Amino acid sequence: MDGTDWRILAELQQDARLSQNEISRRVNLSAPAVAERIRRLTDTGVIQAYQARVDPAALGRGVQAFVQLDCYGAKCILKDPSVHDWPEVLEVHRVTGDACTVLKIAVADMAQFQDLIDRLARYGKPTSSLVLSSPLPWKPVRPLR
């Protein structure tokens, strides 16, 4: 990764809908060279996907939380891939510490939150932290200093 790759990544992370011609103008490189660098970044797994960031609250899911699960063995939520299909579950992370899993969830109201916690309790002891606000909900990956 050189400085030009990082500039291309910065542009794509800011707006993945930019054309390669526009990126080439912004990074001062030819469009074919930009296309080749983007292809290489994709092939090596640096660029994993192009997605829209969606605000769950704008879609009626105003209750968001991080739920830690203390589970173990055959009942562990990590062994049940069907949980990935639950619409309330936005992220699943295997972690170290007292919990084995952290999930980011979004639901419409506290009744749905309670229902979800009850479903999750089958896998282990859930502990939740409601999201009050997100001063930094996302930021692009930049080079480490």
Side-chain angles (χ1 to χ4, degrees):
M1 293 271 308
D2 63 12
T4 303
D5 286 337
W6 279 107
R7 291 196 326 264
I8 291 169
L9 283 176
E11 295 295 341
L12 286 172
Q13 288 180 94
Q14 193 63 34
D15 184 357
R17 297 183 307 164
L18 288 176
S19 70
Q20 291 179 357
N21 285 333
E22 179 60 25
I23 295 169
S24 72
R25 280 192 292 278
R26 292 182 183 193
V27 302
N28 210 19
L29 200 62
S30 72
V34 165
E36 175 57 26
R37 284 175 178 258
I38 291 173
R39 185 198 57 74
R40 186 174 35 81
L41 291 167
T42 302
D43 288 349
T44 59
V46 172
I47 297 174
Q48 294 181 341
Y50 295 90
Q51 305 167 324
R53 273 184 276 141
V54 176
D55 178 6
L59 297 173
R61 295 186 190 186
V63 176
Q64 297 172 46
F66 291 96
V67 178
Q68 294 184 14
L69 272 172
D70 180 9
C71 53
Y72 180 77
K75 288 184 3 178
C76 183
I77 196 166
L78 295 170
K79 296 184 185 213
D80 185 354
S82 71
V83 173
H84 299 188
D85 296 328
W86 295 7
E88 306 92 342
V89 176
L90 303 180
E91 299 176 15
V92 177
H93 303 275
R94 182 178 183 189
V95 298
T96 62
D98 292 335
C100 75
T101 308
V102 174
L103 299 95
K104 181 177 181 185
I105 61 96
V107 294
D109 54 34
M110 291 307 287
Q112 284 186 0
F113 181 67
Q114 182 175 320
D115 289 343
L116 180 60
I117 292 296
D118 289 345
R119 277 191 286 152
L120 290 171
R122 289 183 272 164
Y123 298 96
K125 179 183 172 196
T127 304
S128 61
S129 297
L130 291 172
V131 175
L132 299 176
S133 67
S134 296
L136 182 63
W138 177 88
K139 77 180 219 181
V141 177
R142 299 185 310 234
L144 297 172
R145 296 175 194 205

